[in-house]
């Protein structure tokens, strides 16, 4: 199986699976010496040529990671980072580009290679220290490629330029909404002769680099969409077999974020393939925020999987696509409330769960429901990627999208994902610790009852984790109004109305 340049037809069909099998060998510790005279054949970096590589690995490498790294460092002594990087690339290539003679390497060696690849590299691009904010075309504009009938609403450079202009002129950029993200259907149906991705020539006549320049000139960043499989979900060329080339293309175009979707592939390939794309993005030297759809395609997700994902991706979708509806918003909130696999615990600076786009300003939500989405995405430390027509967003929606206090909760530097601590009779209480740690918290009372008639809810502050003996100033997150000063054992009371969120912050 290849995720890089080699033509799929040249690959030994079962190599990937054999490697995976072998990597599951019980408790074997091996030292392997690889003097490989054929390195140039597989286009390795010069660093590896002619050197002897010792790998010390156990299949329990996860438990003994530190030890393996030390062994590796002893061997390489100097320049280890570069060497390990190159070695890793080599290992990927062994798996992916293996010409018949190279594949005569012992399968156990290939297995070790797989382990090492997982072992030595992790995403550390300095990005997404807080949840990314911006605009993304998918929910509002989907795959509309008909620029004749819909000149203003089709996926085209004009659309992204117009949204970039509006992010600036309507004041969104200065509040942190920096990314302008292209989603599916931007490409030409075919790659160019040399295998490069190319945008649709009619809808993007000036090319993506020129669009990136435009977006950058406005103080914004440009995101793009691709897919890990052979095709995007919309049927355009996917990155499988072209990962390195695509990463390099994105870097050359000046891309700042890459969303890698997961259609048209075997799901079991993802946990090797997504890290590989991350590796190639990293290799370009251009910081590109890496958004993975990987977990959204995996049914059973446990904490170990989330830890792995967080090691390789900046943000990741883990649940269904959002549509323009309250059912979708409330379904996502419920999924995040359940927190299956404790995914909330892997969120933090550099890594965030992505419950999908903000749909404020569209048509599906009432005003109160828009308040809920905004408040809950803030409490959940979620990326704030709006998908709306910024030209027609109503003033009340815009005020919510631009509420500085809500944004500050979302962008809190601790990056802690808030969790649900109470769910009772349709009422939920969510808490998110804020900086300075131990002193401030944000909490939300979320009422999902559809029955009418207000009623009062009271809850003691200390049960929300507000334990400071000095007490707390409690402020309404939406209005900034001081609700009062409370001791930690005091109860906070709210009137709950239908489908509403009240959000407070010290
Ligand atoms: C998937 C993703 C969506 C969007 C579409 C594009 O469904 O989850 O967010 O990118 O593909 O085809």
């Amino acid at each position: 199986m290849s995720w890089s340049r080699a033509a799929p037809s040249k690959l030994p069909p079962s190599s990937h699976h054999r490697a995976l099998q072998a990597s599951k060998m019980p408790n074997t510790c091996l030292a392997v010496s690889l003097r490989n005279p054929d390195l140039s054949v597989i286009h390795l970096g010069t660093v590896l040529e002619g050197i002897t590589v010792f790998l010390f690995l156990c299949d329990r490498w996860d438990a003994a990671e530190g030890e393996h790294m030390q062994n590796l460092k002893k061997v390489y002594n100097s320049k280890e980072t570069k060497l390990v990087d190159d070695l890793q690339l080599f290992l990927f290539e062994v798996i992916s580009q293996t010409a018949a003679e190279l594949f005569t390497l012992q399968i156990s060696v290939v297995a070790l290679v797989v382990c090492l690849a997982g072992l030595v590299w992790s995403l550390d691009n300095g990005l997404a220290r807080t949840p990314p904010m911006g605009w993304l075309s998918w929910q509002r504009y989907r795959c509309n490629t008909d620029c004749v009938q819909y000149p203003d609403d089709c996926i085209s450079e004009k659309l992204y330029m117009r949204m970039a202009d509006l992010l600036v002129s309507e004041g969104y950029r200065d509040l942190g909404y920096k990314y302008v993200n292209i989603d599916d259907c931007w490409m030409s149906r075919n790659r160019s002769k040399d295998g490069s991705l190319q945008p649709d020539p009619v809808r993007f006549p000036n090319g993506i680099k020129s669009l990136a320049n435009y977006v950058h000139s406005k103080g914004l960043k440009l995101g793009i969409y691709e897919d890990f499989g052979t095709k995007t979900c919309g049927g355009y060329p996917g990155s499988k077999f072209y990962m390195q080339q695509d990463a390099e293309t994105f870097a050359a175009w000046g891309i700042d974020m890459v969303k890698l979707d997961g259609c048209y592939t075997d799901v079991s390939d993802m946990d090797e393939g997504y890290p590989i794309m991350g590796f190639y993005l990293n290799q370009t030297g251009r910081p590109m925020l890496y958004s993975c759809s990987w977990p959204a395609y995996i049914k059973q997700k446990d904490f170990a999987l989330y830890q792995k994902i967080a090691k390789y991706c900046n943000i990741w979708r883990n649940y269904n696509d959002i549509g323009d509806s309250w059912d979708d918003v409330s379904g996502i909130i419920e999924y995040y409330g359940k927190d299956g696999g404790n995914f909330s615990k892997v969120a933090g600076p550099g890594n965030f769960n992505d419950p999908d786009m903000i749909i404020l300003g569209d048509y599906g939500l009432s005003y109160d429901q828009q308040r809920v989405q905004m408040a809950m995405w803030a409490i959940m430390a979620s990326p704030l990627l709006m998908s709306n027509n910024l030209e027609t967003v109503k003033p009340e929606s815009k005020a919510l999208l631009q509420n500085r206090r809500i944004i500050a909760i979302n962008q809190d530097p601790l990056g802690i994902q808030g969790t649900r601590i109470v769910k009772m009779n349709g009422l939920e209480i969510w808490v998110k610790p804020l900086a300075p740690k131990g002193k401030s918290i944000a909490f939300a009372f979320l009422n999902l009852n559809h029955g009418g008639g207000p009623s009062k809810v009271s809850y003691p502050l200390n049960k929300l984790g507000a334990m400071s003996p000095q007490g707390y100033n409690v402020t309404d997150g939406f209005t900034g109004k001081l609700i009062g000063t409370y001791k930690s054992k005091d109860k906070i009371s709210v009137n709950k109305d239908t489908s509403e969120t009240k959000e407070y912050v010290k």
Side-chain angles (χ1 to χ4, degrees):
M1 182 62 66
S2 164
W3 292 291
S4 194
R5 278 181 179 153
S9 57
K10 285 189 200 152
L11 297 169
S14 60
S15 63
H16 169 64
H17 291 111
R18 283 160 61 207
L20 280 178
Q21 290 304 340
S23 74
K24 288 178 186 145
M25 284 184 305
N27 251 352
T28 346
C29 276
L30 298 171
V32 180
S33 167
L34 245 180
R35 176 176 286 279
N36 192 332
D38 293 327
L39 292 179
S40 55
V41 174
I42 52 172
H43 316 295
L44 279 178
T46 50
V47 184
L48 278 173
E49 278 182 11
I51 64 165
T52 302
V53 179
F54 290 94
L55 311 180
F56 299 92
L57 294 176
C58 313
D59 74 321
R60 287 174 51 183
W61 53 270
D62 53 342
E65 178 166 328
E67 195 185 309
H68 297 316
M69 278 310 292
Q70 275 168 15
N71 283 337
L72 279 171
K73 283 187 179 169
K74 264 188 230 148
V75 174
Y76 291 126
N77 230 340
S78 61
K79 290 200 213 152
E80 64 259 28
T81 312
K82 173 84 178 102
L83 280 164
V84 168
D85 277 357
D86 283 350
L87 175 61
Q88 179 178 305
L89 185 57
F90 160 63
L91 298 178
F92 289 148
E93 300 287 334
V94 168
I95 298 163
S96 61
Q97 292 206 9
T98 315
E101 75 269 22
L102 278 171
F103 211 73
T104 57
L105 287 171
Q106 290 289 321
I107 190 68
S108 57
V109 175
V110 178
L112 295 178
V113 161
V114 175
C115 293
L116 185 69
L119 175 68
V120 295
W121 182 78
S122 68
L123 186 73
D124 185 15
N125 55 15
L127 298 173
R129 305 312 294 169
T130 60
M133 298 171 64
W135 184 91
L136 173 62
S137 57
W138 180 253
Q139 159 47 32
R140 180 68 183 86
Y141 294 95
R142 300 278 164 153
C143 192
N144 184 345
T145 53
D146 183 352
C147 295
V148 176
Q149 272 210 67
Y150 305 98
D152 293 335
D153 294 326
C154 64
I155 300 301
S156 66
E157 64 184 29
K158 279 195 192 145
L159 174 70
Y160 297 102
M161 288 163 84
R162 199 168 77 244
M163 292 305 147
D165 292 347
L166 287 158
L167 283 172
V168 179
S169 63
E170 295 293 315
Y172 291 96
R173 178 198 62 191
D174 295 343
L175 290 161
Y177 293 95
K178 292 251 156 68
Y179 286 93
V180 177
N181 287 359
I182 303 171
D183 209 273
D184 206 350
C185 309
W186 60 272
M187 290 177 221
S188 168
R189 289 277 175 194
N190 300 305
R191 289 176 179 267
S192 67
K193 278 202 186 105
D194 72 354
S196 300
L197 291 171
Q198 45 190 0
D200 180 276
V202 176
R203 293 179 285 120
F204 293 84
N206 296 297
I208 304 292
K209 182 149 184 52
S210 145
L211 178 58
N213 290 343
Y214 183 81
V215 164
H216 293 157
S217 76
K218 302 259 158 190
L220 297 164
K221 293 171 182 297
L222 187 67
I224 208 157
Y225 168 99
E226 239 298 358
D227 191 284
F228 167 67
T230 49
K231 287 191 238 172
T232 72
C233 299
Y236 291 82
S239 271
K240 209 166 201 175
F241 314 120
Y242 294 90
M243 287 197 165
Q244 183 175 8
Q245 188 171 1
D246 292 352
E248 284 164 6
T249 300
F250 295 150
W253 283 345
I255 293 296
D256 304 294
M257 181 188 307
V258 174
K259 168 174 168 183
L260 195 67
D261 211 338
C263 282
Y264 293 102
T265 185
D266 189 337
V267 172
S268 64
D269 289 344
M270 290 184 175
D271 74 41
E272 279 177 29
Y274 271 88
I276 292 173
M277 183 56 157
F279 173 78
Y280 284 130
L281 290 170
N282 231 35
Q283 283 282 107
T284 66
R286 181 175 178 83
M288 289 183 266
L289 196 154
Y290 187 30
S291 164
C292 301
S293 300
W294 169 17
Y297 289 87
I298 294 183
K299 286 212 172 74
Q300 296 298 325
K301 300 181 265 273
D302 59 13
F303 190 60
L305 176 72
Y306 275 112
Q307 279 181 308
K308 183 168 182 191
I309 287 161
K311 190 167 167 185
Y312 296 110
C313 304
N314 290 117
I315 64 174
W316 51 88
R317 288 276 311 284
N318 50 2
Y319 191 56
N320 297 346
D321 284 9
I322 200 165
D324 191 6
S325 85
W326 170 243
D327 277 357
D328 288 348
V329 171
S330 53
I332 291 169
I333 293 171
E334 176 57 16
Y335 186 81
Y336 273 61
K338 284 189 180 140
D339 197 10
N342 287 322
F343 62 81
S344 63
K345 298 289 175 293
V346 293
N351 304 110
F352 294 98
N353 290 286
D354 177 6
D356 216 357
M357 293 155 272
I358 292 279
I359 55 167
L360 277 81
D362 292 320
Y363 306 99
L365 302 185
S366 71
Y367 176 67
D368 283 335
Q369 291 164 346
Q370 293 184 56
R371 277 171 56 109
V372 172
Q373 192 188 19
M374 196 62 197
M376 294 310 299
W377 263 235
I379 286 275
M380 298 183 320
S382 307
L384 298 180
L385 297 170
M386 305 176 282
S387 192
N388 49 20
N389 179 354
L390 291 170
E391 230 156 13
T392 58
V393 170
K394 296 208 174 85
E396 63 270 27
S397 306
K398 183 176 166 192
L400 288 172
L401 289 164
Q402 298 200 348
N403 185 309
R404 288 170 189 272
R405 284 171 300 276
I406 308 287
I407 292 174
I409 293 171
N410 175 268
Q411 293 290 301
D412 181 77
L414 295 180
I416 297 176
Q417 182 173 324
T419 49
R420 183 165 72 188
I421 59 162
V422 172
K423 176 179 160 80
M424 209 172 48
N425 302 331
L427 176 84
E428 301 186 0
I429 302 177
W430 290 65
V431 180
K432 170 176 164 62
L434 301 177
K437 209 172 181 176
K439 295 208 168 139
S440 293
I441 57 167
F443 58 94
F445 282 71
L446 171 63
N447 177 27
L448 297 170
N449 282 304
H450 296 292
S455 62
K456 225 175 197 127
V457 184
S458 298
Y459 208 72
L461 274 190
N462 54 17
K463 284 206 176 163
L464 300 171
M467 311 297 281
S468 164
Q470 285 107 357
Y472 292 85
N473 292 326
V474 178
T475 307
D476 183 327
F478 284 107
T479 62
K481 207 176 120 209
L482 181 70
I483 309 266
T485 302
Y486 291 73
K487 292 275 182 241
S488 70
K489 62 179 184 334
D490 291 344
K491 285 187 171 169
I492 179 111
S493 298
V494 293
N495 284 323
K496 56 187 183 70
D497 306 313
T498 307
S499 291
E500 249 253 65
T501 313
K502 296 212 186 288
E503 188 167 53
Y504 301 99
V505 55
K506 184 224 160 184

